[in-house]
C-alpha cells in the first residue's frame, strides 16, 4: 500500500485520477439506468437488452475512431464534442417517450458519442510517472475505477426505483457534463499531445498482445454483463438488492486489484486471474438467495480488476506511443462488444426461461474466457522484470558522422 500512497503523492496523479473517475462515473450508471428505464417503458427485458446492446455497439464502433481523432485533432476538441452530443442523446432518451425502434437508434447515438476518457487517460499515464511505476499506476487505476461500480449501481437503483427512471437518466447527464468539464480542463490533458498515427486504422490489432487482450476482454465482459442482467432481473423491480449485490461485486474487484493486481505478470497470469472470476460466477448457480449471491460475486470480483490491470500493462508494453490511444480504443471496443452480447443473450433467456438462466449464460462465458487465455498463453508477453512503457516513436541510429533521430 505504501507504493500506492507514493504514487498518489506524485504531482498531478491524484488530480487526474479523481477527474477521470468523475468523468467516467456516468458509465457506471448507464447500464442499469437504461435497462430499468426501457423495461419500465416496454415491460420487456428483451427490448431493454436490445437497446442496451445498441448503446454498447455504438460505443464499440466509436472506440478506435475517437481515439485516433485525438491524435489528429487533439484531446480536448474530441472530448468536448462527444460529451455534448451524448448529453443531448441522453436527454432525448429520457424525455421523448419514443417507440422501441427509435429508442434503439437513440441508443446507438449515445454509444457513438461516448467520450474517450479511458484511452485519453491511459495514454497520459506513461508521461506522468517513470517506467518502473507504470504497472502499479495501471493497477491503481483499475482498482479505483471499481469505486464507480460500488457507488453507481446503488445510486442508480435507488433513484430509478424509488423516484423515477427519468430522473436517473437526468442525473447521468449532470455527472457527464460536470465530470467531463473537470477532466477536459485538467492541466495534464493540455500538456500531452498524442502523435498522429502513421498506420491504417486497425493495424495495431496485428500485435498478438492487443488482439488477445481484446478477445479475452470481450468474453470477460460478456460474462459480467450477463451476470449483472440476471441480478437486475431477479431483484431490480423489488428493491435495492440488485444495486447492493452489484456494489459487492465491484468491491471484490477493488480488493483484488489493490491486493495483487500489481504483482509481476507472466504468460499464465491472465488465465489464473480469470479463473478466480469464473469460480465465483459458477457459485451463483447454487442459489439466487441475496446473501449467497453477495458472497459469490465478491469472490468473482476479486479477479476482475487484476485482469484489467494486466491488459492495460501488456497493451502499453506492446505498442508505440502513437498507437496507445487506438490500442486502448480497440480494447474498450472488445469489452463493449462482449457487454452487448452478454446483455442481449441474458435479456432474451430471462424472458424465455427466467432470471436463473442468465447465471448459466454468465458461467459459460466465464469458462470460455479461461479456456481462451490458457490456450493462447504463448501470445501473452512476459512482463516479469520489464516495465510497461510504450515503445518510443523515434530512436537513435549510429552513422559515420554521429547520430540523428528518425521516425
Amino acid at each position: 500500500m505504501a507504493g500506492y500512497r507514493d504514487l498518489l503523492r506524485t504531482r498531478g496523479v491524484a488530480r487526474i485520477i479523481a477527474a477521470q473517475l468523475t468523468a467516467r462515473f456516468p458509465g457506471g450508471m448507464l447500464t442499469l439506468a437504461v435497462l430499468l428505464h426501457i423495461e419500465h417503458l416496454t415491460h420487456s427485458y428483451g427490448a431493454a437488452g436490445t437497446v442496451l446492446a445498441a448503446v454498447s455497439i455504438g460505443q464499440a464502433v466509436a472506440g478506435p475512431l475517437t481515439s485516433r481523432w485525438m491524435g489528429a485533432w487533439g484531446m480536448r476538441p474530441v472530448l468536448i464534442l462527444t460529451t455534448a452530443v451524448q448529453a443531448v442523446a441522453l436527454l432525448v432518451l429520457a424525455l421523448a417517450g419514443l417507440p422501441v425502434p427509435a429508442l434503439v437508434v437513440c441508443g446507438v447515438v449515445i454509444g457513438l458519442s461516448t467520450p474517450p476518457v479511458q484511452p485519453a487517460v491511459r495514454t497520459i499515464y506513461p508521461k506522468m510517472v517513470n517506467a518502473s511505476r507504470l504497472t502499479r499506476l495501471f493497477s491503481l487505476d483499475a482498482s479505483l475505477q471499481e469505486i464507480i461500480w460500488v457507488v453507481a449501481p446503488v445510486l442508480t437503483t435507488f433513484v430509478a426505483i424509488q423516484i423515477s427512471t427519468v430522473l436517473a437518466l437526468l442525473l447521468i447527464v449532470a455527472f457527464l457534463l460536470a465530470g467531463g468539464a473537470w477532466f477536459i480542463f485538467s492541466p495534464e490533458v493540455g500538456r500531452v499531445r498524442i502523435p498522429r498515427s502513421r498506420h491504417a486504422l486497425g493495424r495495431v490489432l496485428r500485435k498478438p498482445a492487443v488482439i488477445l487482450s481484446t478477445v479475452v476482454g470481450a468474453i470477460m465482459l460478456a460474462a459480467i454483463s450477463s451476470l449483472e442482467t440476471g441480478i437486475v432481473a431477479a431483484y431490480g423491480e423489488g428493491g435495492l438488492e440488485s444495486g447492493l449485490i452489484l456494489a459487492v461485486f465491484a468491491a471484490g474487484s477493488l480488493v483484488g486489484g489493490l491486493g495483487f493486481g500489481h504483482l509481476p505478470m507472466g504468460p499464465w497470469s491472465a488465465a489464473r486471474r480469470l479463473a478466480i472470476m469464473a469460480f465465483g460466477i459458477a457459485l451463483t448457480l447454487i442459489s439466487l438467495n441475496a446473501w449467497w449471491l453477495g458472497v459469490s460475486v465478491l469472490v468473482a470480483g476479486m479477479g476482475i480488476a487484476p485482469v484489467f490491470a494486466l491488459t492495460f500493462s501488456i497493451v502499453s508494453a506492446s505498442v508505440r506511443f502513437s498507437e496507445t490511444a487506438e490500442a486502448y480504443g480497440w480494447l474498450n471496443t472488445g469489452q463493449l462488444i462482449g457487454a452487448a452480447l452478454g446483455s442481449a443473450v441474458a435479456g432474451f433467456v430471462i424472458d424465455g426461461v427466467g432470471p436463473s438462466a442468465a447465471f448459466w449464460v454468465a458461467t459459460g462465458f466465464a469458462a470460455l474466457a479461461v479456456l481462451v487465455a490458457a490456450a493462447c498463453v504463448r501470445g501473452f508477453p512476459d512482463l516479469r522484470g520489464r516495465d510497461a512503457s510504450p515503445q518510443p516513436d523515434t530512436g537513435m541510429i549510429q552513422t559515420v558522422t554521429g547520430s540523428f533521430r528518425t521516425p
Side-chain angles (χ1 to χ4, degrees):
M1 296 301 292
Y4 291 124
R5 287 195 296 270
D6 290 341
L7 270 178
L8 290 173
R9 293 191 186 107
T10 302
R11 181 181 178 183
V13 169
R15 176 176 59 239
I16 198 67
I17 287 178
Q20 62 99 6
L21 287 176
T22 306
R24 289 166 53 199
F25 193 81
M29 302 178 67
L30 190 62
T31 298
L32 276 172
V34 171
L35 194 67
L36 292 171
H37 182 67
I38 304 304
E39 195 282 332
H40 178 73
L41 290 177
T42 65
H43 307 289
S44 169
Y45 277 101
T50 301
V51 174
L52 193 58
V55 175
S56 297
I57 291 169
Q59 290 173 324
V61 172
L65 292 176
T66 54
S67 298
R68 285 178 67 93
W69 290 350
M70 289 192 293
W73 304 338
M75 290 189 192
R76 280 179 173 157
V78 174
L79 289 166
I80 290 170
L81 174 64
T82 51
T83 298
V85 173
Q86 189 176 61
V88 172
L90 283 167
L91 289 173
V92 172
L93 184 73
L95 302 174
L98 302 172
V100 172
L103 291 172
V104 171
V105 173
C106 190
V108 172
V109 175
I110 290 169
L112 287 171
S113 58
T114 299
V117 175
Q118 290 191 58
V121 75
R122 285 163 191 156
T123 302
I124 290 170
Y125 282 156
K127 300 298 184 181
M128 299 186 67
V129 299
N130 59 43
S132 63
R133 305 170 74 193
L134 186 56
T135 295
R136 188 176 289 271
L137 180 54
F138 281 134
S139 178
L140 179 63
D141 176 274
S143 302
L144 292 182
Q145 74 178 2
E146 297 303 329
I147 294 173
I148 296 172
W149 304 102
V150 171
V151 178
V154 177
L155 178 62
T156 304
T157 51
F158 175 79
V159 174
I161 294 173
Q162 303 298 325
I163 305 176
S164 165
T165 58
V166 171
L167 183 60
L169 290 169
L170 295 179
L171 191 59
I172 292 175
V173 174
F175 275 111
L176 176 69
L177 295 176
W182 186 11
F183 179 74
I184 290 166
F185 295 105
S186 294
E188 293 76 17
V189 175
R191 292 190 191 118
V192 176
R193 179 72 170 86
I194 301 174
R196 184 189 293 267
S197 177
R198 295 169 295 173
H199 302 300
L201 177 68
R203 184 172 176 179
V204 71
L205 291 174
R206 296 181 184 180
K207 306 280 187 179
V210 177
I211 189 64
L212 271 176
S213 296
T214 301
V215 171
V216 168
I219 302 171
M220 182 177 76
L221 263 292
I224 292 170
S225 64
S226 53
L227 178 64
E228 290 175 343
T229 304
I231 292 170
V232 171
Y235 293 101
E237 293 299 318
L240 293 175
E241 290 93 338
S242 59
L244 293 172
I245 292 170
L246 293 177
V248 172
F249 193 16
S253 181
L254 176 62
V255 171
L258 293 176
F260 61 89
H262 62 283
L263 296 180
M265 300 172 185
W268 282 98
S269 295
R272 287 196 296 265
R273 297 176 185 200
L274 286 165
I276 297 171
M277 181 195 74
F279 175 71
I281 292 177
L283 291 177
T284 65
L285 299 177
I286 296 174
S287 172
L288 295 187
N289 174 271
W291 289 101
W292 179 258
L293 284 180
V295 172
S296 302
V297 300
L298 180 67
V299 174
M302 293 183 72
I304 294 174
V307 174
F308 282 136
L310 182 145
T311 56
F312 300 157
S313 296
I314 65 176
V315 167
S316 176
S318 302
V319 301
R320 294 182 182 275
F321 180 66
S322 60
E323 299 172 325
T324 52
E326 183 187 341
Y328 287 124
W330 283 111
L331 196 65
N332 194 46
T333 289
Q335 294 169 5
L336 291 163
I337 290 173
L341 177 64
S343 61
V345 172
F348 283 110
V349 299
I350 288 168
D351 282 346
V353 180
S356 61
F359 297 93
W360 283 99
V361 172
T363 301
F365 279 126
L368 179 60
V370 177
L371 290 174
V372 170
C376 301
V377 65
R378 293 185 179 181
F380 289 98
D382 191 344
L383 296 185
R384 292 171 294 186
R386 291 179 51 195
D387 66 69
S389 298
Q391 301 164 16
D393 284 279
T394 59
M396 302 295 295
I397 54 176
Q398 296 296 322
T399 69
V400 175
T401 58
S403 62
F404 62 96
R405 300 188 74 82
T406 183

